[in-house]
Amino acid sequence: MTATLEPTSVAPGGPDRQDGKPAVAARLRSALRVLISPKYGPVLITLALFVLLFIVGGVRYTNFFSAQVLLNLFVDNAYLIVLAVGMTFVILTGGIDLSVGAVVALSGMIAASLLQAGWGPEVVIPLILVLTSVLGLLVGLMIHVFDVQPFIATLAAMFLARGLCYVISQSSISITDPTFVQLAVTRIPLGGGASITPSVIIAVVVVAIAVWVLHRTRFGRTVYALGGSEQSGMLMGLPVARTKVLVYVVSGFCSGLAGVLFTFYTLSGYPLTAIGTELDAIAAVVIGGTLLTGGYGFVLGSVLGVLVLGLIQTIISFEGTLSSWWTKIFIGALLLVFIILQRVLTTRRR
Amino acid sequence: MSALLARIVGSRLFWPIVMLFVLFVVNLIAFPGFFSITIKDGHLFGSLIDILRNGAPTLIIAVGMTLVIATRGIDLSVGAVAAISGAVACAIILGSPNPGSPATVAVAVLVAIGISLVLGVWNGFLVAVLGIQPIIATLILMTAGRGVAMLITEGQILTVNSPPFKMLGSGFWLGLPVAVIIAAVLFAAAALLTRRTALGMLIESVGINPEASRQAGVRARGLLFGVYTFCAFCAAIAGVILTANTAAADANNTGLFIELDAILAVVIGGTSLAGGRYSLAGTLVGALVIQTLVTTVYTVGIPPIATMVFKAAVVTIVCILQSPRTNQALGSFRRSLAVRAGKGAAAS
């Protein structure tokens, strides 16, 4: 009893400060540990970057600090958010999907040509989602059964999808279907003059489902486990084969959905559209803090990555004098910084 | 006899050559004059010469890519490097007072190559010093490189009117296209340098195990720098040829997808993407297969833009043929045949 009371009785003011100091330091140290951990570090840095960019934009340009500028990031990049979600699944397992841009173009072409032929959107959209999922399934099987590198298998899928676009049509097909047009022009007011499109709602729902799947289901756990170590996953009796194939199905489905959202945005199908979109999606995922070797990362991080890319584009268009090719250079530079960051964070851990 | 046959069939070059042969036969059926080579105005003309000439840039890049892939790496940035080098060369020729003089062209090409060497060293730095995965390291330059090329051309398509420069792309020398001569010299140099010295073996050892080869005294880091720089050098030359061929630098489209064609040529040629062994002869055959495929699509009368579907089919078939599981299945099939034959012999 006396022993426990002794410290407080000796110096009433002192212990508080003595206890407080280590507590603050420990908290600081644990905060620092979170910041340099490969799991949370990159995401937090991306978040800080996003806020910083937004503040810089707001200080430099008038009319930048508005809800609509922020919401337009979602409106303009809804399809990229959906793509990045699919890509996150693939990269979490340590794979990569180069076919997503071509699949976006392909689903746009299928939509435009079938709608032109008089099919209804209630048939066309499910059909596209099924077809792109099947393409993802084939890619997954090629990777798993024949042990082909993801890079090469998805490259083949990219050639196939892009080639099929040209087979369907070599020129742009415009979409006049009333449902599609309606979905393209509909604005959902959020109050204060700000509004979003139905595509944004779809994208947000996809993100929510993806977060739930990755963190609350066995499939999600297995995806993370595969990225950590496929060998250990196999030894633990996890369904490695099924999961490895399924992530490419998820990516195929997301690419198809992104293609549909992209047609809501452009109201046409064009075989040369979305060239290089796979790089944007990969860049968004990497900037969003997902480790390219797999195992670490969050879907919400990827969304943040897409928003940072969108913000860079917005700032460049607000700047006016900067030409559009600066976007590519900035994205490349950002990619470099984040990849080096990942490298530093993972080596320190080992 | 059967041992010889087995050796031929087992050779890495067997399937690519069969594929090339099939393509030739298809061409011959569709277009009987396919193999004829005539001499017009002192130049050789014919479908085969066209295949060689149009395939030259892909082959040049594929040679560099082969060495990179042998170290278990990959270089995605070659298309962007080709665009940068073409843009630099055109910008210099446009900016000079007399664009037609060979000296101007020489300076332009040398500067373009010099800049590309710097880009190659950059890729090498990311891979060898920072230890970033090659796909990702070169992805950075692939994304940013086209932006840099557009910065050089200021978003325009630079058209140059310079006969010596155009010569590099579409000219003839000693009856052969200049582009083919450049490709042949580069190929021969790479083959001699890596196969007549220990260099090729050292590159392969880095591909098998960089750490082990470093401990065995191989300068893994220097070799990695070397192969990425050489690959960028190849890309620069291909970029100059591509740009000279059209006499215009288009930052967006020069060398678009050429990295994929080059990787495809290497893979068709039997070089494993897992590194550790490579075949330059295979790459040559692979590049020819791709270009012949493109030509075949033209001669047979399929819309040329559908070529990509055929490329997809070729990649898929080649990958499945090369996959360990297929080899295993084929092996057990052969063994079961041998066992059956053995039983038959015993019964009689």
Side-chain angles (χ1 to χ4, degrees):
Chain A
M1 184 79 193
T2 48
T4 49
L5 276 176
E6 206 179 11
T8 40
S9 62
V10 169
D16 249 328
R17 267 181 42 212
Q18 270 175 0
D19 277 351
K21 238 183 192 170
V24 168
R27 211 172 298 152
L28 259 178
R29 218 176 300 133
S30 73
L32 197 68
R33 205 172 300 141
V34 167
L35 202 64
I36 64 166
S37 77
K39 190 171 174 186
Y40 297 105
V43 190
L44 292 175
I45 291 169
T46 311
L47 184 64
L49 181 72
F50 179 78
V51 172
L52 186 75
L53 277 175
F54 204 68
I55 291 172
V56 166
V59 171
R60 275 184 72 96
Y61 319 110
T62 46
N63 299 333
F64 194 89
F65 265 136
S66 71
Q68 193 58 55
V69 167
L70 194 62
L71 288 176
N72 274 346
L73 291 178
F74 286 92
V75 171
D76 295 335
N77 296 302
Y79 76 99
L80 195 55
I81 290 177
V82 175
L83 270 189
V85 167
M87 188 69 82
T88 310
F89 275 84
V90 173
I91 292 184
L92 277 177
T93 65
I96 202 151
D97 191 347
L98 295 181
S99 69
V100 295
V103 174
V104 164
L106 178 63
S107 48
M109 290 304 288
I110 296 175
S113 63
L114 288 184
L115 289 170
Q116 202 183 30
W119 293 42
E122 70 284 350
V123 184
V124 171
I125 295 176
L127 183 69
I128 288 173
L129 297 181
V130 170
L131 283 178
T132 53
S133 305
V134 169
L135 185 66
L137 177 70
L138 292 179
V139 169
L141 286 178
M142 196 165 153
I143 290 168
H144 179 71
V145 177
F146 291 103
D147 233 351
V148 178
Q149 289 203 355
F151 172 77
I152 290 293
T154 56
L155 187 67
M158 169 187 171
F159 276 136
L160 181 70
R162 196 60 82 178
L164 287 177
C165 285
Y166 289 121
V167 173
I168 292 172
S169 168
Q170 294 167 27
S171 51
S172 173
I173 309 173
S174 61
I175 295 175
T176 50
D177 179 83
T179 317
F180 269 67
V181 174
Q182 191 59 43
L183 279 168
V185 297
T186 303
R187 284 280 181 167
I188 302 161
L190 286 184
S195 62
I196 54 171
T197 55
S199 304
V200 176
I201 295 178
I202 297 175
V204 170
V205 169
V206 169
V207 170
I209 294 175
V211 169
W212 179 77
V213 167
L214 274 180
H215 297 287
R216 287 272 172 269
T217 65
R218 271 186 212 174
F219 172 65
R221 290 278 103 200
T222 313
V223 167
Y224 278 103
L226 266 190
S229 164
E230 197 177 321
Q231 196 74 36
S232 315
M234 196 112 63
L235 291 174
M236 281 162 69
L238 294 174
V240 170
R242 195 177 69 202
T243 311
K244 215 166 145 192
V245 175
L246 263 181
V247 289
Y248 290 93
V249 178
V250 169
S251 180
F253 176 86
C254 285
S255 315
L257 187 60
V260 172
L261 295 186
F262 195 66
T263 53
F264 289 162
Y265 189 67
T266 60
L267 276 185
S268 67
Y270 181 52
L272 273 176
T273 201
I275 282 185
T277 307
E278 57 276 358
L279 299 183
D280 287 346
I282 295 171
V285 173
V286 172
I287 293 172
T290 301
L291 237 57
L292 279 159
T293 42
Y296 291 102
F298 303 100
V299 168
L300 286 177
S302 303
V303 174
L304 212 51
V306 172
L307 295 182
V308 166
L309 296 188
L311 201 55
I312 290 175
Q313 231 148 15
T314 311
I315 287 178
I316 283 172
S317 69
F318 262 86
E319 183 74 36
T321 53
L322 275 180
S323 319
S324 64
W325 48 84
W326 279 103
T327 320
K328 288 186 182 180
I329 298 177
F330 277 131
I331 293 177
L334 212 55
L335 206 54
L336 173 70
V337 170
F338 274 84
I339 287 167
I340 292 178
L341 189 74
Q342 286 190 355
R343 185 76 205 153
V344 171
L345 294 184
T346 45
T347 33
R348 185 173 302 181
R349 208 170 131 261
R350 269 170 204 150
Chain B
M1 181 62 200
S2 70
L4 181 71
L5 197 71
R7 251 190 83 187
I8 292 174
V9 173
S11 154
R12 260 187 281 170
L13 281 178
F14 177 71
W15 286 112
I17 288 179
V18 166
M19 207 178 279
L20 190 60
F21 186 73
V22 169
L23 284 171
F24 278 155
V25 170
V26 170
N27 270 298
L28 200 61
I29 295 168
F31 177 56
F34 181 72
F35 282 109
S36 78
I37 293 175
T38 53
I39 298 181
K40 279 183 200 162
D41 312 328
H43 309 323
L44 294 174
F45 272 93
S47 301
L48 287 178
I49 301 292
D50 277 349
I51 290 176
L52 286 178
R53 200 183 74 174
N54 295 330
T58 314
L59 173 63
I60 291 173
I61 292 185
V63 168
M65 190 71 82
T66 310
L67 297 185
V68 171
I69 288 180
T71 65
R72 206 189 289 173
I74 202 144
D75 190 348
L76 295 181
S77 69
V78 286
V81 172
I84 292 177
S85 104
V88 168
C90 279
I92 290 175
I93 293 173
L94 268 185
S96 82
N98 59 348
S101 90
T104 313
V105 173
V107 169
V109 170
L110 285 178
V111 172
I113 290 175
I115 287 177
S116 303
L117 290 181
V118 174
L119 296 175
V121 169
W122 163 254
N123 277 338
F125 172 75
L126 290 183
V127 173
V129 178
L130 297 185
I132 298 169
Q133 284 166 278
I135 291 190
I136 307 312
T138 53
L139 183 71
I140 298 170
L141 192 54
M142 184 189 185
T143 319
R146 293 229 173 250
V148 173
M150 284 215 245
L151 205 63
I152 296 166
T153 63
E154 290 169 343
Q156 312 278 315
I157 294 178
L158 300 181
T159 319
V160 293
N161 182 17
S162 161
F165 186 59
K166 193 145 176 46
M167 180 86 182
L168 288 174
S170 50
F172 286 83
W173 192 57
L174 299 177
L176 280 170
V178 174
V180 174
I181 296 174
I182 297 174
V185 168
L186 199 87
F187 180 83
L192 282 179
L193 205 66
T194 59
R195 284 312 190 195
R196 289 289 155 204
T197 66
L199 194 59
M201 197 188 70
L202 297 180
I203 289 174
E204 287 178 333
S205 81
V206 173
I208 294 167
N209 190 335
E211 187 53 31
S213 34
R214 192 186 64 75
Q215 297 198 352
V218 178
R219 286 208 208 147
R221 193 171 274 191
L223 282 171
L224 283 176
F225 264 108
V227 291
Y228 283 95
T229 312
F230 178 67
C231 193
F233 170 76
C234 292
I237 291 179
V240 168
I241 291 175
L242 285 168
T243 315
N245 198 16
T246 52
D250 181 349
N252 267 326
N253 294 318
T254 303
L256 190 64
F257 293 137
I258 205 164
E259 60 277 349
L260 305 183
D261 276 351
I263 294 168
L264 201 54
V266 175
V267 171
I268 292 177
T271 298
S272 157
L273 281 172
R277 61 170 199 184
Y278 70 92
S279 156
L280 282 173
T283 299
L284 174 64
V285 177
L288 288 178
V289 165
I290 290 176
Q291 195 55 46
T292 314
L293 183 73
V294 174
T295 314
T296 313
V297 168
Y298 276 104
T299 47
V300 174
I302 303 167
I305 27 206
T307 320
M308 292 190 112
V309 180
F310 290 93
K311 278 188 195 162
V314 172
V315 189
T316 315
I317 294 169
V318 168
C319 286
I320 289 178
L321 278 181
Q322 284 181 351
S323 92
R325 189 164 296 207
T326 318
N327 281 337
Q328 221 174 14
L330 280 179
S332 63
F333 178 64
R334 252 184 242 131
R335 265 196 303 281
S336 77
L337 275 188
V339 167
R340 230 175 277 165
K343 270 183 191 162
S348 66

Short mmCIF file of all heavy atoms in Angstrom, two decimals, chain A residues 173-219:
data_model
loop_
_atom_site.label_atom_id
_atom_site.label_comp_id
_atom_site.label_asym_id
_atom_site.label_seq_id
_atom_site.Cartn_x
_atom_site.Cartn_y
_atom_site.Cartn_z
N ILE A 173 -18.42 4.97 -82.85
CA ILE A 173 -19.88 4.76 -82.94
C ILE A 173 -20.50 5.59 -81.82
O ILE A 173 -20.14 5.42 -80.66
CB ILE A 173 -20.25 3.28 -82.73
CG1 ILE A 173 -19.43 2.37 -83.64
CG2 ILE A 173 -21.74 3.07 -82.97
CD1 ILE A 173 -19.65 0.90 -83.36
N SER A 174 -21.44 6.44 -82.18
CA SER A 174 -22.04 7.23 -81.10
C SER A 174 -23.24 6.49 -80.54
O SER A 174 -23.85 5.65 -81.20
CB SER A 174 -22.45 8.61 -81.61
OG SER A 174 -23.39 8.45 -82.63
N ILE A 175 -23.55 6.79 -79.29
CA ILE A 175 -24.64 6.10 -78.59
C ILE A 175 -25.82 7.06 -78.48
O ILE A 175 -25.66 8.18 -77.95
CB ILE A 175 -24.18 5.64 -77.21
CG1 ILE A 175 -23.09 4.58 -77.37
CG2 ILE A 175 -25.34 5.08 -76.40
CD1 ILE A 175 -22.48 4.14 -76.07
N THR A 176 -26.98 6.63 -78.97
CA THR A 176 -28.16 7.50 -78.88
C THR A 176 -29.24 6.88 -78.03
O THR A 176 -30.33 7.43 -77.93
CB THR A 176 -28.72 7.77 -80.30
OG1 THR A 176 -28.86 6.51 -80.96
CG2 THR A 176 -27.79 8.66 -81.09
N ASP A 177 -28.94 5.73 -77.44
CA ASP A 177 -29.94 5.04 -76.62
C ASP A 177 -30.41 5.97 -75.49
O ASP A 177 -29.60 6.55 -74.77
CB ASP A 177 -29.31 3.79 -76.02
CG ASP A 177 -30.29 3.05 -75.15
OD1 ASP A 177 -31.09 2.28 -75.70
OD2 ASP A 177 -30.25 3.26 -73.91
N PRO A 178 -31.75 6.12 -75.35
CA PRO A 178 -32.26 7.08 -74.36
C PRO A 178 -31.80 6.80 -72.94
O PRO A 178 -31.50 7.75 -72.19
CB PRO A 178 -33.78 6.95 -74.48
CG PRO A 178 -34.05 5.83 -75.42
CD PRO A 178 -32.81 5.52 -76.17
N THR A 179 -31.72 5.52 -72.55
CA THR A 179 -31.29 5.22 -71.18
C THR A 179 -29.87 5.70 -70.93
O THR A 179 -29.57 6.32 -69.91
CB THR A 179 -31.36 3.70 -70.92
OG1 THR A 179 -32.57 3.20 -71.47
CG2 THR A 179 -31.28 3.40 -69.46
N PHE A 180 -28.98 5.40 -71.90
CA PHE A 180 -27.58 5.81 -71.75
C PHE A 180 -27.48 7.34 -71.71
O PHE A 180 -26.77 7.89 -70.89
CB PHE A 180 -26.73 5.25 -72.91
CG PHE A 180 -26.14 3.90 -72.62
CD1 PHE A 180 -26.94 2.80 -72.48
CD2 PHE A 180 -24.76 3.74 -72.49
CE1 PHE A 180 -26.41 1.55 -72.21
CE2 PHE A 180 -24.22 2.51 -72.22
CZ PHE A 180 -25.03 1.40 -72.08
N VAL A 181 -28.21 7.99 -72.63
CA VAL A 181 -28.16 9.45 -72.67
C VAL A 181 -28.66 10.01 -71.35
O VAL A 181 -28.08 10.93 -70.77
CB VAL A 181 -28.99 9.97 -73.87
CG1 VAL A 181 -29.06 11.49 -73.83
CG2 VAL A 181 -28.40 9.51 -75.18
N GLN A 182 -29.77 9.42 -70.86
CA GLN A 182 -30.35 9.86 -69.60
C GLN A 182 -29.31 9.74 -68.48
O GLN A 182 -29.10 10.65 -67.70
CB GLN A 182 -31.59 9.01 -69.30
CG GLN A 182 -32.45 9.53 -68.16
CD GLN A 182 -32.94 10.94 -68.44
OE1 GLN A 182 -33.35 11.25 -69.55
NE2 GLN A 182 -32.86 11.80 -67.44
N LEU A 183 -28.64 8.58 -68.44
CA LEU A 183 -27.65 8.35 -67.38
C LEU A 183 -26.48 9.31 -67.53
O LEU A 183 -25.82 9.67 -66.55
CB LEU A 183 -27.15 6.90 -67.44
CG LEU A 183 -28.08 5.89 -66.76
CD1 LEU A 183 -27.67 4.48 -67.12
CD2 LEU A 183 -28.05 6.08 -65.25
N ALA A 184 -26.19 9.71 -68.78
CA ALA A 184 -25.04 10.60 -69.00
C ALA A 184 -25.34 12.02 -68.54
O ALA A 184 -24.45 12.71 -68.05
CB ALA A 184 -24.65 10.59 -70.48
N VAL A 185 -26.59 12.47 -68.76
CA VAL A 185 -26.88 13.87 -68.46
C VAL A 185 -27.46 14.09 -67.06
O VAL A 185 -27.48 15.21 -66.58
CB VAL A 185 -27.83 14.50 -69.50
CG1 VAL A 185 -27.19 14.49 -70.87
CG2 VAL A 185 -29.17 13.78 -69.52
N THR A 186 -27.92 12.98 -66.42
CA THR A 186 -28.53 13.14 -65.09
C THR A 186 -27.53 13.71 -64.10
O THR A 186 -26.38 13.30 -64.05
CB THR A 186 -29.04 11.79 -64.57
OG1 THR A 186 -29.94 11.26 -65.51
CG2 THR A 186 -29.73 11.95 -63.22
N ARG A 187 -27.97 14.68 -63.34
CA ARG A 187 -27.14 15.24 -62.27
C ARG A 187 -27.91 15.09 -60.98
O ARG A 187 -29.09 15.46 -60.90
CB ARG A 187 -26.87 16.72 -62.54
CG ARG A 187 -25.83 16.95 -63.61
CD ARG A 187 -24.46 16.77 -62.99
NE ARG A 187 -23.40 17.00 -63.95
CZ ARG A 187 -22.13 17.14 -63.57
NH1 ARG A 187 -21.82 17.09 -62.31
NH2 ARG A 187 -21.20 17.33 -64.47
N ILE A 188 -27.29 14.55 -59.98
CA ILE A 188 -27.96 14.40 -58.69
C ILE A 188 -27.47 15.53 -57.79
O ILE A 188 -26.30 15.55 -57.42
CB ILE A 188 -27.64 13.04 -58.07
CG1 ILE A 188 -28.09 11.94 -59.05
CG2 ILE A 188 -28.32 12.88 -56.73
CD1 ILE A 188 -27.46 10.61 -58.80
N PRO A 189 -28.35 16.49 -57.46
CA PRO A 189 -27.90 17.63 -56.64
C PRO A 189 -27.60 17.19 -55.22
O PRO A 189 -28.30 16.34 -54.66
CB PRO A 189 -29.09 18.60 -56.71
CG PRO A 189 -30.27 17.75 -57.05
CD PRO A 189 -29.77 16.59 -57.85
N LEU A 190 -26.51 17.74 -54.68
CA LEU A 190 -26.15 17.42 -53.29
C LEU A 190 -26.32 18.62 -52.38
O LEU A 190 -25.82 18.64 -51.28
CB LEU A 190 -24.69 16.94 -53.23
CG LEU A 190 -24.40 15.54 -53.76
CD1 LEU A 190 -22.95 15.20 -53.52
CD2 LEU A 190 -25.29 14.51 -53.10
N GLY A 191 -26.98 19.67 -52.89
CA GLY A 191 -27.15 20.88 -52.10
C GLY A 191 -25.99 21.83 -52.30
O GLY A 191 -24.86 21.41 -52.58
N GLY A 192 -26.26 23.12 -52.19
CA GLY A 192 -25.20 24.11 -52.37
C GLY A 192 -24.74 24.23 -53.80
O GLY A 192 -23.62 24.63 -54.06
N GLY A 193 -25.56 23.82 -54.74
CA GLY A 193 -25.20 23.94 -56.15
C GLY A 193 -24.29 22.84 -56.64
O GLY A 193 -23.97 22.77 -57.82
N ALA A 194 -23.83 21.96 -55.73
CA ALA A 194 -22.95 20.88 -56.15
C ALA A 194 -23.77 19.67 -56.56
O ALA A 194 -24.85 19.43 -56.04
CB ALA A 194 -22.02 20.50 -55.01
N SER A 195 -23.25 18.92 -57.53
CA SER A 195 -24.00 17.74 -57.97
C SER A 195 -23.03 16.65 -58.43
O SER A 195 -21.87 16.90 -58.71
CB SER A 195 -24.92 18.12 -59.13
OG SER A 195 -24.15 18.57 -60.22
N ILE A 196 -23.56 15.42 -58.48
CA ILE A 196 -22.76 14.29 -58.97
C ILE A 196 -23.56 13.55 -60.04
O ILE A 196 -24.72 13.86 -60.28
CB ILE A 196 -22.39 13.32 -57.83
CG1 ILE A 196 -23.66 12.87 -57.10
CG2 ILE A 196 -21.39 13.93 -56.89
CD1 ILE A 196 -23.42 11.75 -56.13
N THR A 197 -22.93 12.59 -60.68
CA THR A 197 -23.62 11.79 -61.70
C THR A 197 -23.92 10.41 -61.13
O THR A 197 -23.32 10.00 -60.13
CB THR A 197 -22.74 11.62 -62.94
OG1 THR A 197 -21.49 11.06 -62.53
CG2 THR A 197 -22.51 12.94 -63.64
N PRO A 198 -24.84 9.66 -61.77
CA PRO A 198 -25.12 8.30 -61.30
C PRO A 198 -23.86 7.42 -61.29
O PRO A 198 -23.73 6.54 -60.44
CB PRO A 198 -26.13 7.78 -62.33
CG PRO A 198 -26.75 8.98 -62.93
CD PRO A 198 -25.72 10.05 -62.88
N SER A 199 -22.92 7.69 -62.23
CA SER A 199 -21.68 6.90 -62.28
C SER A 199 -20.93 6.97 -60.95
O SER A 199 -20.36 5.97 -60.51
CB SER A 199 -20.77 7.43 -63.39
OG SER A 199 -21.43 7.43 -64.61
N VAL A 200 -20.95 8.16 -60.33
CA VAL A 200 -20.22 8.31 -59.07
C VAL A 200 -20.81 7.38 -58.03
O VAL A 200 -20.08 6.72 -57.28
CB VAL A 200 -20.28 9.78 -58.60
CG1 VAL A 200 -19.62 9.93 -57.24
CG2 VAL A 200 -19.64 10.69 -59.62
N ILE A 201 -22.17 7.30 -58.02
CA ILE A 201 -22.81 6.43 -57.03
C ILE A 201 -22.41 4.98 -57.27
O ILE A 201 -22.05 4.25 -56.34
CB ILE A 201 -24.34 6.60 -57.11
CG1 ILE A 201 -24.69 8.03 -56.70
CG2 ILE A 201 -25.05 5.59 -56.22
CD1 ILE A 201 -26.14 8.35 -56.78
N ILE A 202 -22.40 4.58 -58.55
CA ILE A 202 -21.99 3.20 -58.87
C ILE A 202 -20.56 2.96 -58.40
O ILE A 202 -20.26 1.95 -57.75
CB ILE A 202 -22.12 2.95 -60.39
CG1 ILE A 202 -23.58 3.08 -60.82
CG2 ILE A 202 -21.57 1.58 -60.75
CD1 ILE A 202 -23.81 2.96 -62.30
N ALA A 203 -19.67 3.92 -58.70
CA ALA A 203 -18.27 3.76 -58.31
C ALA A 203 -18.14 3.64 -56.80
O ALA A 203 -17.40 2.78 -56.29
CB ALA A 203 -17.45 4.94 -58.82
N VAL A 204 -18.89 4.49 -56.05
CA VAL A 204 -18.80 4.44 -54.59
C VAL A 204 -19.32 3.10 -54.06
O VAL A 204 -18.72 2.51 -53.15
CB VAL A 204 -19.59 5.63 -53.97
CG1 VAL A 204 -19.73 5.45 -52.47
CG2 VAL A 204 -18.89 6.93 -54.30
N VAL A 205 -20.40 2.59 -54.68
CA VAL A 205 -20.92 1.29 -54.26
C VAL A 205 -19.88 0.21 -54.50
O VAL A 205 -19.63 -0.66 -53.65
CB VAL A 205 -22.24 0.98 -55.02
CG1 VAL A 205 -22.65 -0.47 -54.79
CG2 VAL A 205 -23.34 1.92 -54.57
N VAL A 206 -19.21 0.26 -55.68
CA VAL A 206 -18.18 -0.73 -55.99
C VAL A 206 -17.07 -0.68 -54.94
O VAL A 206 -16.62 -1.71 -54.44
CB VAL A 206 -17.60 -0.50 -57.41
CG1 VAL A 206 -16.34 -1.34 -57.62
CG2 VAL A 206 -18.63 -0.83 -58.46
N VAL A 207 -16.65 0.54 -54.59
CA VAL A 207 -15.59 0.69 -53.60
C VAL A 207 -16.03 0.08 -52.27
O VAL A 207 -15.29 -0.67 -51.63
CB VAL A 207 -15.22 2.17 -53.43
CG1 VAL A 207 -14.29 2.36 -52.23
CG2 VAL A 207 -14.56 2.70 -54.69
N ALA A 208 -17.29 0.39 -51.88
CA ALA A 208 -17.78 -0.12 -50.60
C ALA A 208 -17.79 -1.65 -50.60
O ALA A 208 -17.35 -2.29 -49.63
CB ALA A 208 -19.18 0.43 -50.34
N ILE A 209 -18.28 -2.24 -51.69
CA ILE A 209 -18.31 -3.70 -51.76
C ILE A 209 -16.89 -4.27 -51.68
O ILE A 209 -16.62 -5.24 -50.97
CB ILE A 209 -19.01 -4.16 -53.07
CG1 ILE A 209 -20.48 -3.76 -53.03
CG2 ILE A 209 -18.87 -5.67 -53.24
CD1 ILE A 209 -21.21 -4.06 -54.32
N ALA A 210 -15.96 -3.61 -52.41
CA ALA A 210 -14.58 -4.10 -52.44
C ALA A 210 -13.96 -4.05 -51.05
O ALA A 210 -13.29 -5.00 -50.63
CB ALA A 210 -13.75 -3.28 -53.42
N VAL A 211 -14.22 -2.96 -50.32
CA VAL A 211 -13.68 -2.84 -48.96
C VAL A 211 -14.24 -3.97 -48.11
O VAL A 211 -13.50 -4.66 -47.38
CB VAL A 211 -14.04 -1.48 -48.34
CG1 VAL A 211 -13.72 -1.46 -46.86
CG2 VAL A 211 -13.29 -0.37 -49.06
N TRP A 212 -15.55 -4.20 -48.25
CA TRP A 212 -16.17 -5.27 -47.45
C TRP A 212 -15.56 -6.63 -47.80
O TRP A 212 -15.19 -7.41 -46.92
CB TRP A 212 -17.69 -5.27 -47.71
CG TRP A 212 -18.40 -6.35 -46.96
CD1 TRP A 212 -18.71 -6.34 -45.63
CD2 TRP A 212 -18.85 -7.60 -47.48
NE1 TRP A 212 -19.33 -7.51 -45.29
CE2 TRP A 212 -19.43 -8.30 -46.40
CE3 TRP A 212 -18.82 -8.19 -48.75
CZ2 TRP A 212 -19.97 -9.57 -46.57
CZ3 TRP A 212 -19.37 -9.45 -48.91
CH2 TRP A 212 -19.94 -10.13 -47.82
N VAL A 213 -15.42 -6.89 -49.10
CA VAL A 213 -14.89 -8.19 -49.53
C VAL A 213 -13.47 -8.38 -49.01
O VAL A 213 -13.12 -9.44 -48.47
CB VAL A 213 -14.93 -8.31 -51.07
CG1 VAL A 213 -14.09 -9.50 -51.54
CG2 VAL A 213 -16.35 -8.45 -51.56
N LEU A 214 -12.64 -7.35 -49.13
CA LEU A 214 -11.23 -7.51 -48.77
C LEU A 214 -11.04 -7.65 -47.26
O LEU A 214 -10.13 -8.34 -46.81
CB LEU A 214 -10.41 -6.32 -49.28
CG LEU A 214 -9.91 -6.45 -50.71
CD1 LEU A 214 -9.12 -5.22 -51.09
CD2 LEU A 214 -9.06 -7.69 -50.90
N HIS A 215 -11.88 -6.99 -46.48
CA HIS A 215 -11.63 -6.99 -45.04
C HIS A 215 -12.58 -7.86 -44.23
O HIS A 215 -12.33 -8.12 -43.06
CB HIS A 215 -11.66 -5.56 -44.50
CG HIS A 215 -10.57 -4.73 -45.11
ND1 HIS A 215 -9.26 -4.89 -44.77
CD2 HIS A 215 -10.60 -3.79 -46.08
CE1 HIS A 215 -8.52 -4.06 -45.49
NE2 HIS A 215 -9.31 -3.38 -46.29
N ARG A 216 -13.67 -8.29 -44.83
CA ARG A 216 -14.66 -9.03 -44.04
C ARG A 216 -14.94 -10.43 -44.58
O ARG A 216 -15.78 -11.12 -44.04
CB ARG A 216 -15.98 -8.24 -43.99
CG ARG A 216 -15.93 -7.01 -43.09
CD ARG A 216 -16.29 -7.36 -41.65
NE ARG A 216 -16.07 -6.23 -40.76
CZ ARG A 216 -14.92 -6.02 -40.12
NH1 ARG A 216 -13.91 -6.85 -40.27
NH2 ARG A 216 -14.79 -5.00 -39.31
N THR A 217 -14.31 -10.83 -45.67
CA THR A 217 -14.60 -12.17 -46.18
C THR A 217 -13.32 -13.02 -46.22
O THR A 217 -12.21 -12.49 -46.19
CB THR A 217 -15.18 -12.13 -47.61
OG1 THR A 217 -14.18 -11.62 -48.48
CG2 THR A 217 -16.42 -11.28 -47.70
N ARG A 218 -13.52 -14.33 -46.34
CA ARG A 218 -12.39 -15.24 -46.43
C ARG A 218 -11.60 -15.00 -47.70
O ARG A 218 -10.39 -15.07 -47.72
CB ARG A 218 -12.89 -16.68 -46.44
CG ARG A 218 -13.02 -17.23 -45.08
CD ARG A 218 -13.39 -18.68 -45.17
NE ARG A 218 -14.21 -19.01 -44.01
CZ ARG A 218 -14.79 -20.17 -43.85
NH1 ARG A 218 -14.68 -21.09 -44.79
NH2 ARG A 218 -15.50 -20.40 -42.78
N PHE A 219 -12.34 -14.71 -48.77
CA PHE A 219 -11.69 -14.44 -50.05
C PHE A 219 -10.71 -13.28 -49.90
O PHE A 219 -9.55 -13.36 -50.34
CB PHE A 219 -12.77 -14.13 -51.10
CG PHE A 219 -12.22 -13.63 -52.41
CD1 PHE A 219 -11.44 -14.46 -53.21
CD2 PHE A 219 -12.48 -12.34 -52.85
CE1 PHE A 219 -10.94 -14.01 -54.42
CE2 PHE A 219 -11.99 -11.90 -54.07
CZ PHE A 219 -11.21 -12.73 -54.84
#
